[in-house]
Amino acid sequence: MTDSWKLTRAALMVSASALLLTPAVLAAETASDDDLLAEIVVTAQKVKENLSKAPIAVSVLSQDMLDRQNITAADDLVTTVPNLQFSQNGFSMRGIGSNNGFSGYSTVATQIDGIYAPFPTTLTLGMFDIGAIEVLRGPQGTVHGRNATAGVVNINTADPGNEYAVAGDVQYGTNQDLQVRVNTDLPVSDDLAIRISAFRHVNDGRNPRYSASERFDKTDQTGVRLTSVWNAADNLTWRLSLNYGEDQGTTPLIFLSRYNYYPNANLTTGTFGPVEIIKTHQPNPGIQNVRDNVKDIKEYAARSRLTWEVSDAVTATYLAGFSVLKNDGVEATTGVFSQEYLNQRQESSSHEIDINFESDSISLVGGGYYYWDEKPSGQRLLHAGNTAPAPFGSVFNAFGPLVAGTGNQISTINAVDVVNTYTDWGSESKAIFAQGTWRVTDRFRLLAGVRSTWDTVHGGQQELVCLGGTVTRQNIDNDTCPAGGLGFTDDTDRPSRKFSKVSWKAGLDYDLTEDTMAYATVSTGYRAGGLESSTNPEPYTGYRPETVTNYELGLRSNLLDRRLFLSATVFNMDYNDLQVSSVINSPSGPVAVTTNAAKARIRGIELESLFRPTRNDRLSAYVSFLDAKYRSFPNASDNMNSADTMYNIFAPILGYAPIGSAVADFSGNRLVNSPRWSARLGYEHIVDLPDGSTLTPAVDFYVQSKTYSDSGNYIQGRNGGYTKTDVNLRWDSADQTYYINGFVNNLEDKRIASQTSVVWSSTTVSYNPGRTLGVRVGASF
């Protein structure tokens, strides 16, 4: 029996078990109001509606649910809702998301308190003191719009309470992992309340430091938030949130998981011959010599929401946000490649006005949106190295290798150092939108929405290319290389590019019964194009917008006197000009770029359930099937069969043939980060103890099938399917003042890849934590 079938069977069993448990407990007890599932209210479409009546694919996570699964970082969310994965620059959803951290904005829009958050760092520094997280799947091109072709993650932070209160907890676990969280509510008056929350998370690092100053995979994060809610008048409320976060941890340790060997290669003719793929698990060659792996990131953000209840029918809301990200540390390092920033500053600001109208027959939201971001100053230092498989690595060995491979091992060499000095690199977006629901009858509703967007992207920068391994933080300069320059480009006055699009949505929903609703929608989405370095070879100096049309059917049910919630969604998404990350060879070495695939098709089924058979039992489950393929992707960059720039420079000197960049047809291949099957089953049981306290054991089981890390679907970049089991045991005091929670995460101790990169010589990967154990002690007063 193959591993793929085993994982598929496990996914099906998870789904079936959730459904089969239902009849077994129907007669368990008669439910009272306290025993039922709480009705969840969502604001996914910028109107308040019950989750069971929302005609959209949305999942909701509370802070209690996050704590039970020990979720403190964004990448931990991938096991919680259907078809959510994590990519290097944000989230991936339904197979759409970049696996390249340097390819621009995430295809899944992240919003905190309704404000678009463009920086992936926010996902790490903002995941504390949460009210709820709403995950919207599918294009959200009308009421959200900004980079939301794949979906939206709404992170809503906690509001201040109306009474004095203090709560906090301390967690200690594997690798000397220490986390402290605290929040306090301070009602200043009847009209003004303040909440102060903070966290501190440190550990010793999961991997050795080798020659670096700190161990790899070390956590050192701090966050502080001050939130106020002021009822300035009976109909006017102002919510203001001030945030600070910093990350002084270290980069992940990069491992060599596979490398290629071509025993019958002919260097004279430049032919590969059959490949031997050698599996291994060792640090990537050269990473033992890395000196600096420390991050230095600071983020400041202000988010404001002013709500004016104009009348019983009309409400106006003004949302405003401003954030600053300062980066003065290492972003990534592999031993061959590294990227660090020097005094880089990124700024973003957004303004939005929403007008809500509500009557017996119509719900309507409309408004305007303005957003900008830029890098007004700072530098990026890119050390671009090259790798070559044996026997091609002998060319590098003859010209001063960084790491000289022997036998069938790979060789590495310094290529170039690239200095980017930013002046006006960023974007600007304007939009107007409207969406409404018409309640035709008590059971039948029609929905329609439209959004018009105008985008501008700027590419102002200077780029200096120097001899590899010669530029340091101490001798870096804007336009002069310390040991000889290879090129200089001044794009300070580079013309901007403009894009525009009208997105729309139409649908209907119908109450089949009092407890069951069905809906059908057609929606479109748009993501702006962008600029890349003008020194890249054509056509990689920019990319076009991507668009998507999504056809979706859904069913939502509250059954068994509101003890069982069921959700089923069927969808088909058609993408045009899908933006895809890849690595190409340029005169300055290997470069990560964004290109446009012609077409992609994504279709699937998502099933979710929440079940409370008794007042002491809670069960949640989902299963998803995803068929995500490129319908047409000809002339794609074929990293596996292309030599790099330095090889083609040095090989002719030794009398060998250069190897040109290869292209391939990836039509029919699966999209990156798109498991065909994934499923989750969570169960907890509350045990009432004689003294009034409770003991709650819980288990969360997740399974997914294999994924690919590259559009080429190379076997070298295939990540195998896996299971992940987390177990918790929590004790709560009788008065709910104190609790103690013990946990084991990743019980299987499985190496789960978080980032995977495939080139002609090798596959490199970083991993999420293995098995971790810990205990959390908390109190609230």
Side-chain angles (χ1 to χ4, degrees), residues 40-338:
I40 299 174
V41 177
V42 296
T43 57
Q45 300 187 98
K46 301 201 174 183
V47 294
K48 292 183 178 180
E49 53 191 342
N50 292 334
L51 177 63
S52 59
K53 298 295 184 181
I56 191 172
V58 57
S59 302
V60 181
L61 302 168
S62 66
Q63 181 69 69
D64 289 342
M65 297 172 67
L66 300 177
D67 286 345
R68 197 191 83 184
Q69 298 177 63
N70 195 38
I71 294 174
T72 58
D75 52 354
D76 296 326
L77 288 173
V78 300
T79 65
T80 58
V81 300
N83 286 323
L84 182 68
Q85 299 283 313
F86 197 71
S87 64
Q88 293 187 33
N89 68 344
F91 289 109
S92 169
M93 200 174 291
R94 290 179 175 174
I96 301 297
S98 174
N99 199 39
N100 175 358
F102 320 119
S103 64
Y105 306 100
S106 172
T107 53
V108 177
T110 300
Q111 300 191 76
I112 299 183
D113 295 331
I115 308 296
Y116 177 67
F119 311 133
T121 305
T122 304
L123 300 178
T124 300
L125 300 178
M127 289 284 293
F128 70 100
D129 198 28
I130 302 299
I133 298 177
E134 298 176 348
V135 180
L136 292 68
R137 297 179 295 278
Q140 308 298 323
T142 51
V143 295
H144 294 289
R146 176 69 184 170
N147 292 329
T149 53
V152 173
V153 176
N154 283 327
I155 300 174
N156 300 309
T157 61
D159 284 330
N162 296 320
E163 298 180 356
Y164 288 100
V166 177
D169 56 45
V170 178
Q171 175 182 304
Y172 185 77
T174 305
N175 298 316
Q176 312 297 313
D177 187 90
L178 177 65
Q179 179 175 274
V180 180
R181 300 183 300 182
V182 63
N183 61 75
T184 179
D185 290 324
L186 302 171
V188 179
S189 67
D190 292 340
D191 298 320
L192 176 63
I194 294 175
R195 184 179 181 93
I196 302 173
S197 56
F199 86 97
R200 182 85 171 100
H201 188 190
V202 296
N203 61 40
D204 288 344
R206 292 186 279 116
N207 288 293
R209 68 180 183 90
Y210 298 111
S211 301
S213 58
E214 302 282 355
R215 293 168 63 95
F216 286 90
D217 292 286
K218 177 182 176 180
T219 301
D220 187 350
Q221 298 171 345
T222 304
V224 180
R225 179 182 299 128
L226 187 151
T227 304
S228 64
V229 174
W230 177 35
N231 296 313
D234 291 341
N235 62 346
L236 187 66
T237 302
W238 183 28
R239 186 187 194 273
L240 177 64
S241 176
L242 304 177
N243 302 261
Y244 171 76
E246 66 176 42
D247 187 347
Q248 305 288 327
T250 60
T251 60
L253 180 65
I254 304 299
F255 289 88
L256 185 70
S257 66
R258 297 179 178 94
Y259 62 92
N260 299 331
Y261 169 49
Y262 297 90
N264 298 319
N266 188 323
L267 277 66
T268 302
T269 60
T271 54
F272 289 84
V275 62
E276 290 187 12
I277 302 171
I278 301 171
K279 293 184 178 182
T280 183
H281 181 68
Q282 62 188 40
N284 196 46
I287 203 164
Q288 297 94 333
N289 301 322
V290 168
R291 298 286 183 179
D292 194 359
N293 62 352
V294 179
K295 304 175 185 178
D296 186 1
I297 299 172
K298 296 180 176 64
E299 183 177 35
Y300 308 82
R303 302 181 180 99
S304 170
R305 183 176 69 231
L306 183 65
T307 304
W308 176 28
E309 296 179 2
V310 182
S311 66
D312 292 340
V314 178
T315 301
T317 304
Y318 171 49
L319 293 163
F322 180 74
S323 64
V324 176
L325 183 73
K326 296 181 178 180
N327 196 338
D328 194 35
V330 178
E331 185 85 358
T333 181
T334 70
V336 181
F337 166 94
S338 70

Side-chain angles (χ1 to χ4, degrees), residues 18 22 29-41 50-52 60 62 65 68 515 556-567 608-621 682 684 686:
T22 302
E29 62 180 49
T30 302
S32 65
D33 287 343
D34 292 337
D35 302 330
L36 306 180
L37 290 172
E39 190 67 73
I40 299 174
V41 177
N50 292 334
L51 177 63
S52 59
V60 181
S62 66
M65 297 172 67
R68 197 191 83 184
D515 301 316
R556 308 286 184 264
S557 292
N558 268 329
L559 304 174
L560 308 180
D561 296 326
R562 220 177 73 227
R563 289 189 296 184
L564 174 65
F565 171 74
L566 293 177
S567 170
E608 294 182 87
S609 68
L610 299 172
F611 187 32
R612 190 170 181 178
T614 74
R615 62 178 299 273
N616 288 18
D617 295 277
R618 296 181 179 88
L619 183 146
S620 62
E684 68 175 43
I686 302 173

